[in-house]
Amino acid sequence: MPEQHTEFLDPSTALDVLKSYPRKDGLSAADLMDSRVHGGLTYNDFLLLPGKIDFPASDVVTETRITRNVSLKTPFMSSPMDTVTEAPMAIALALLGGVGVIHHNQSPEAQAAMVRAVKRHENGFITDPVVLSPSHLVEDVLDIKARLGFCGIPITDTGSLGGRLVGIVTARDIQFRDPQTPLRDVMTISLVTAPLGITLLEANDILRDSKKGKLPIVDSQGNLISLLARSDLLKNQSYPLASKKADSKQLYAAAAVGTRPADRERLALLVGAGLDIVVLDSSQGNSVFQIDMVRWIKTTYPSLEVIAGNVVTREQAASLIAAGADALRVGMGSGSICITQEVMAVGRPQATAVYAVAEFASKFGVPIIADGGIGNVGHIVKALALGAGAVMMGGLLAGTEEAPGEYFYHEGKRVKAYRGMGSLEAMEQGTAKKAAVRGKYPSSNKDKTVENAATSRYFSESSAVKVAQGVSGDVQDKGSVKAFLPYLYIGVQHSLQDIGVKSIAALQKEVRTGNVRFELRTASAQVEGGVHGLNS
């Protein structure tokens, strides 16, 4: 057989030859997300193509905006579901750089107490500390310990802030003491204090050097003005990414409310407890109820950040942006326990929804939050690449120690309950177990309607028959979110390193300019990309 000679190009010209191609490898985001060509896409329907690595993953910055005025160090939020987010989850996420949104399928007072717990967990100068008088009893301190989780309490002559500081009570002062003992008999009176006007940095130095647990700040007459806690110094060291307000150094607190008249009273309690961000919780955000609510909140509480939604189209987004929303939640029927798309025939595949709404909202400086469909690190990165400022997770965080509920065993696995807010179980919370029946069908009695977050979210408070848009189940134990979230964080860093960008902002810029490329996945490609070919 005659020998064939093939002429090859000079390897040193490879980069020049690459430039001769009419377009870059892969698809731009605009081409990928053209629904007239590809239909609606989910996160599993595409991949990002790799870029060039010239930096370590630890250099990747994940800071991002979740509203017009709030930035986080990580793009993680937890969903306002009653099996996902209460105070423990909200505190843990805030310490780790995200934000947890406290659900409202509970009484306004209970929800406000959770907001208050988040705000009190970490502080700079504590300007509203719990204060007692010498005549209070040890049992009062024990009660505060049980309710709020701390017992280092300043004592003033009046028992209130602004009174003359006369002592402080700590955990050791009340150990082995009769609960009826007056605090004047147990309080520490040898105090280290700092003068009014001292900077936070200077106060931290005094607290560190004094080896005390609390540092009272007093004016020239010895009256208590504020307080600084050693535990907050330790938290600053342990949680450098913590989501905190710049002025108060308190953790960001977010909570959900509905759009009914009673929710205005609920919101007043939450704002009084220190709420920073309110999420208007509705499966379909483009309603006159929500538009009116956004306008009312921005007029009544102008400094409160409002996240509106949910939306999946530009038209929905436009109504809420015009009303004054500071951010939008995007998603309808994409959650693992949500069946809205199947039952109601309404919704949109999540990746397409995120891209369409983010592209539109970015023109007005309004961030969007990808809510639903997040099952792994890859889904998080895809949502960010399509323009999301953050992802909101439900099922991914359910089953962690900080999620509400008790563990139990199911088929040999340790699990926690997880349910959609559109499930019948969530809709029935706080109502009688059985509806009164007259004749063949349940009777509709609007006077007996019970306020319930699940029913108001799906506009079904007065419906005689509830139509489920979610399901209930259980999820396997994932351990503590304080171990799980760092895994997600490092995973995002490594993913952005593979793409060749050093930050979320850079990722989204490169996507817009067409430098970060995508590839559509066939069904076979999805099988290839998953675990396959193993015997066991």
Side-chain angles (χ1 to χ4, degrees), residues 48-317:
L48 285 89
L49 297 185
K52 183 179 180 180
I53 297 176
D54 56 4
F55 54 90
S58 58
D59 283 358
V60 172
V61 176
T62 59
E63 187 166 345
T64 185
R65 275 196 315 138
I66 63 164
T67 73
R68 292 181 193 269
N69 302 302
V70 175
S71 294
L72 304 181
K73 293 294 192 348
T74 67
F76 306 132
M77 300 179 70
S78 66
S79 180
M81 303 170 70
D82 59 8
T83 52
V84 178
T85 310
E86 290 186 349
M89 180 68 76
I91 290 170
L93 253 71
L95 289 174
L96 295 166
V99 160
V101 184
I102 297 169
H103 75 87
H104 61 120
N105 205 20
Q106 57 183 319
S107 70
E109 293 77 14
Q111 191 182 18
M114 292 182 187
V115 170
R116 197 171 291 111
V118 175
K119 298 304 293 183
R120 286 189 180 277
H121 190 77
E122 182 170 350
N123 301 274
F125 289 115
I126 306 171
T127 56
D128 60 343
V130 175
V131 181
L132 296 176
S133 72
S135 59
H136 278 92
L137 306 178
V138 167
E139 69 176 359
D140 296 315
V141 180
L142 296 174
D143 176 64
I144 291 168
K145 173 67 173 176
R147 289 187 296 107
L148 302 177
F150 60 86
C151 57
I153 300 171
I155 310 298
T156 67
D157 57 352
T158 61
S160 61
L161 188 68
R164 184 171 59 85
L165 183 68
V166 295
I168 195 166
V169 170
T170 66
R172 290 185 178 181
D173 293 327
I174 61 173
Q175 283 179 341
F176 317 118
R177 293 286 188 171
D178 187 297
Q180 297 303 310
T181 305
L183 297 184
R184 66 168 57 88
D185 296 337
V186 300
M187 66 185 185
T188 298
I189 58 175
S190 177
L191 304 175
V192 175
T193 63
L196 178 63
I198 192 171
T199 67
L200 184 60
L201 186 60
E202 293 169 338
N204 283 336
D205 289 339
I206 294 174
L207 190 59
R208 181 194 63 222
D209 296 339
S210 69
K211 301 181 181 179
K212 299 292 185 182
K214 297 287 190 296
L215 179 67
I217 310 299
V218 297
D219 62 16
S220 57
Q221 282 76 45
N223 298 319
L224 180 67
I225 302 301
S226 61
L227 192 68
L228 196 65
R230 174 174 289 272
S231 59
D232 292 335
L233 284 179
L234 297 175
K235 290 169 191 171
N236 287 337
Q237 189 176 54
S238 301
Y239 302 105
L241 300 177
S243 304
K244 295 183 288 188
K245 294 195 71 173
D247 52 354
S248 67
K249 303 300 181 184
Q250 291 179 313
L251 297 179
Y252 275 113
V257 300
T259 57
R260 298 310 194 211
D263 288 295
R264 300 189 180 194
E265 299 173 11
R266 176 186 291 268
L267 185 57
L269 285 178
L270 300 180
V271 171
L275 188 69
D276 303 301
I277 303 166
V278 62
V279 174
L280 299 184
D281 195 25
S282 175
S283 64
Q284 214 284 48
N286 189 21
S287 69
V288 292
F289 311 110
Q290 183 155 155
I291 291 170
D292 289 345
M293 189 70 163
V294 172
R295 289 172 177 162
W296 178 81
I297 294 173
K298 297 309 293 183
T299 300
T300 309
Y301 307 107
S303 62
L304 188 63
E305 297 293 300
V306 179
I307 299 176
N310 280 28
V311 300
V312 292
T313 70
R314 291 190 297 264
E315 288 76 10
Q316 287 178 297

Side-chain angles (χ1 to χ4, degrees), residues 421-499:
M421 294 305 291
S423 66
L424 291 177
E425 291 84 352
M427 289 184 177
E428 290 171 355
Q429 178 155 319
T431 65
K433 293 295 181 184
K434 293 183 179 180
V437 177
R438 292 179 183 171
K440 189 174 180 180
Y441 299 105
S443 62
S444 176
N445 189 336
K446 293 185 179 181
D447 293 335
K448 294 184 179 179
T449 297
V450 178
E451 286 289 341
N452 175 284
T455 54
S456 65
R457 188 177 200 276
Y458 294 92
F459 304 102
S460 57
E461 302 99 317
S462 58
S463 298
V465 177
K466 306 300 182 190
V467 179
Q469 296 189 46
V471 298
S472 297
D474 55 61
V475 289
Q476 195 166 348
D477 176 15
K478 296 185 180 76
S480 174
V481 76
K482 292 181 179 179
F484 186 59
L485 219 66
Y487 156 75
L488 298 180
Y489 171 69
I490 293 174
V492 170
Q493 285 185 311
H494 279 277
S495 181
L496 265 61
Q497 181 192 39
D498 281 344
I499 298 168

Side-chain angles (χ1 to χ4, degrees), residues 508-523:
Q508 294 176 346
K509 178 183 177 181
E510 294 301 303
V511 168
R512 288 193 300 270
T513 57
N515 291 324
V516 168
R517 310 292 283 182
F518 300 81
E519 193 71 274
L520 199 66
R521 300 172 86 188
T522 64

